[in-house]
Amino acid sequence: MAGLRQPGVLAALGAALLFGAGTPLAKLLLNTVSPWLLAGLLYLGSGLGLTVYRYLTRAPVVKLPRHEAPWFAGAILAGGIVGPVLLMLGLTRLPASGASLLLNAEGVFTALLAWFVFKENFDRRIAFGMLAIVAGAAVLSWNGEARFAEMWPTVAVLGACLAWGIDNNLTRKVSLSDATWIASIKGLVAGTVNLLIALLIGAAWSPLPNVLSAMMVGLLAYGVSLSLFVLALRHLGTARTGAYFSVAPFFGAVLAVLMGEAVTMPLLVAGALMAIGTWLHLTEHHTHKHTHEEILHDHEHVHDEHHQHVHDSPVTPGVKHRHSHRHVPLIHTHLHFPDMHHRHRH
């Protein structure tokens, strides 16, 4: 329970729950909506839905810092355009048995990029936890055979997973910005691109109730889920967030059981592996003496040990507020994760 109270953990698991639940619901919609059109409607539903939400709640206008714009553009390009296109190209020639296994590579690529390219901290406990969760996802998607047909469709699906791994790592760079704004922009761009592709290849429009249902599923499984994912990135870092998010297939399988499918041995084995991996992450204790370098940034915060600056007017202790603030160099020791304030070397 102490692990669940760590900032970002519930957000990551919530993102996985919503995304996983969207899979069996999207599968039902595939009976009446073409795959390309469905992909576009899911993304567009998330973008439009969050845009309406931000308008109704009068969310403040987001001004992305200039130095973060390239990171965000790269995330949208990789995850919202390149990833879906490569996936659809691969699925046109790749049997479902092989594709479902290959898609588990997203979590692996996300972690490897975070650890070895972006230098995020990890140890054997976190690595074993990640392996257990990915193994559970692989067991869940295994249907007794794995046919990969020719090489290029396989490479295309792996390329899609790599693109999403890049997206996850680049999104972390902008995770201090409003999470709903990030998710809405990514949804609008990806939805528009996928709809245009669907129209270009001649996909037929579905009845309005099916279109609206797809967009509602997209709002929850893609929009709200991505917003929670961004929140988790702030507190846990990319690899740990990706690990928690990798339990999404298990949540989807559980929902499928509640919708009438049978409980299977792979589901039980996968659940056990994912539980072990999640436990390893929840019980992590990473503490050592570390140095905070001077930094100037803008995000919502309270005055804690990392935020000890002064204000022109008094601020009530414990009240969240937002403004540009400077962190002075600080050396101390405490339990921490690779969050927005702990991106130091080890």
Side-chain angles (χ1 to χ4, degrees), residues 90 93-95 98 102 147-160:
R93 300 287 299 275
L94 190 67
L102 289 174
R147 295 183 294 114
F148 297 103
E150 54 191 277
M151 180 181 68
W152 290 114
T154 300
V155 172
V157 174
L158 288 175

Side-chain angles (χ1 to χ4, degrees), residues 220-242:
L220 297 175
Y222 285 60
V224 178
S225 176
L226 179 56
S227 299
L228 292 172
F229 188 89
V230 172
L231 291 176
L233 286 174
R234 294 180 188 174
H235 299 287
L236 300 175
T238 311
R240 289 163 178 78
T241 299

Side-chain angles (χ1 to χ4, degrees), residues 289-307:
K289 191 174 185 179
H290 56 277
T291 301
H292 294 270
E293 297 180 354
E294 184 175 6
I295 185 175
L296 175 66
H297 62 181
D298 183 341
H299 67 93
E300 190 175 54
H301 61 278
V302 296
H303 285 176
D304 54 21
E305 61 182 321
H306 295 103
H307 299 88

